[in-house]
């Protein structure tokens, strides 16, 4: 990697490190990315997912895999599927709408990103509710190697709460399909909830259907 480019990247990485707990460095193979990072972060543990045993563990049990490492770690040769599981959320959905040039409710209802914005709003509300009560929740987004997704997972003790978030204002049977399947695979007792843009609270099969206005986020 040419010295000028390396210096610029180092400067940029140091700046990013002051604001973000996780930084991703991507680029063509054999460009010097690993060497650069190991020179910059000499105190960090180095883990290469080129090792088939480690890669299998990361794919099959990503949460347990990450818990084995402290905050100071460099993961190398990370498969693309791991990148696809990351999501970016805005705590301020008003700002999000402004950046998308959505200026009123009518425009929001017609926007193709309406579902993602509604999901973002619900998750931000959950975080704010827990933080306001002095708790830091163990929230995360779930996606497995079969591309089955759950919008929000909350684990505490020996229990897991699974949430699917839908912008539809009417219940549809296919809303519970993935949620029920993922819940059946979980390694501990689960409670499944579908949060939707309609009203009312009721059970639908094994899941709880809840209108977004009736949400009460609780620690357990």
């Amino acid at each position: 990697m040419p010295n000028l480019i390396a210096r610029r990247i180092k400067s940029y990485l140091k700046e990013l490190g002051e604001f973000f707990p996780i930084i991703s460095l991507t680029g063509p193979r054999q460009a010097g990315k690993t060497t650069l990072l190991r020179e910059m972060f000499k105190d960090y543990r180095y883990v290469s997912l080129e090792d088939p045993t480690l890669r299998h563990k990361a794919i099959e049990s990503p949460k347990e895999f990450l818990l084995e490492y402290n905050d100071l770690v460099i993961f190398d040769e990370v498969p693309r599927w791991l990148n696809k599981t990351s999501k970016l959320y805005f705590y301020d959905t008003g700002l999000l709408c402004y950046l998308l040039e959505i200026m009123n409710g009518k425009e929001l209802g017609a926007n193709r990103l309406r579902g993602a914005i509604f999901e973002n709003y619900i998750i931000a509300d959950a975080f704010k509710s827990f933080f306001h009560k002095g708790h830091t929740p163990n929230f995360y987004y779930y996606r497995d190697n079969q591309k089955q997704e759950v919008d929000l997972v909350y684990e505490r003790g020996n229990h897991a709460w699974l949430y699917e978030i839908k912008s539809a204002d009417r219940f549809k049977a296919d809303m519970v399909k993935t949620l029920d399947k993922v819940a059946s695979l979980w390694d501990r007792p689960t409670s499944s909830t579908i949060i939707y843009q309609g009203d009312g609270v009721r059970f639908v099969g094994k899941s709880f259907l809840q209108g977004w206005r009736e949400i009460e986020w609780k620690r357990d």
Side-chain angles (χ1 to χ4, degrees):
M1 183 180 292
N3 289 336
L4 178 60
I5 295 176
R7 286 199 301 271
R8 288 182 176 177
I9 293 176
K10 285 181 179 180
S11 176
Y12 189 48
L13 287 175
K14 288 179 180 178
E15 182 179 344
L16 290 175
E18 295 178 1
F19 296 97
F20 301 102
I22 300 174
I23 302 171
S24 174
L25 178 62
T26 61
R29 295 183 62 84
Q30 306 300 320
K33 302 184 298 297
T34 299
T35 301
L36 176 69
L37 290 175
R38 299 191 74 172
E39 286 179 355
M40 286 188 64
F41 305 102
K42 295 180 180 179
D43 295 334
Y44 282 49
R45 186 174 177 180
Y46 175 77
V47 179
S48 175
L49 293 184
E50 200 166 40
D51 182 322
T53 302
L54 289 176
R55 185 168 63 250
H56 176 78
K57 189 171 184 179
I59 292 173
E60 295 300 319
S61 304
K63 184 179 179 183
E64 288 75 9
F65 173 77
L66 291 173
L67 287 174
E68 293 184 13
Y69 303 96
N70 61 18
D71 294 336
L72 306 179
V73 59
I74 298 171
F75 289 114
D76 199 4
E77 301 295 340
V78 179
R80 287 189 177 186
W81 70 267
L82 286 175
N83 289 335
K84 290 180 180 177
T85 61
S86 60
K87 277 194 173 184
L88 175 67
Y89 297 101
F90 281 74
Y91 280 119
D92 187 342
T93 48
L95 173 61
L96 173 59
C97 287
Y98 175 79
L99 293 173
L100 292 172
E101 298 185 349
I102 299 172
M103 300 305 171
N104 53 57
K106 184 177 180 180
E107 291 182 4
L108 175 60
N111 194 282
R112 64 183 180 84
L113 296 176
R114 171 190 170 187
I117 295 170
F118 181 66
E119 177 186 331
N120 195 136
Y121 170 81
I122 296 298
I123 291 175
D125 182 66
F127 269 104
K128 291 173 185 177
S129 179
F130 272 75
F131 289 153
H132 179 69
K133 297 171 184 175
H135 305 307
T136 301
N138 182 23
F139 287 160
Y140 60 91
Y141 158 71
Y142 174 89
R143 177 184 169 105
D144 61 24
N145 54 8
Q146 301 298 317
K147 297 184 179 180
Q148 298 177 126
E149 301 179 6
V150 175
D151 295 325
L152 179 63
V153 178
Y154 168 47
E155 291 186 325
R156 185 168 185 265
N158 194 40
H159 200 92
W161 289 261
L162 313 182
Y163 297 91
E164 268 293 282
I165 303 167
K166 302 295 183 182
S167 62
D169 57 7
R170 294 183 181 181
F171 171 72
K172 297 179 181 179
D174 61 356
M175 288 181 177
V176 300
K177 188 181 299 183
T178 300
L179 195 58
D180 286 349
K181 188 171 183 180
V182 171
S184 70
L185 300 174
W186 220 259
D187 61 354
R188 66 189 73 184
T190 62
S191 298
S192 301
T193 300
I194 301 165
I195 299 172
Y196 77 131
Q197 211 161 352
D199 296 312
V201 177
R202 61 189 173 96
F203 278 100
V204 285
K206 299 178 181 179
S207 298
F208 195 52
L209 180 67
Q210 186 170 26
W212 67 282
R213 295 179 180 87
E214 285 83 27
I215 299 173
E216 277 190 51
W217 299 105
K218 297 180 179 179
R219 195 178 178 202
D220 50 35

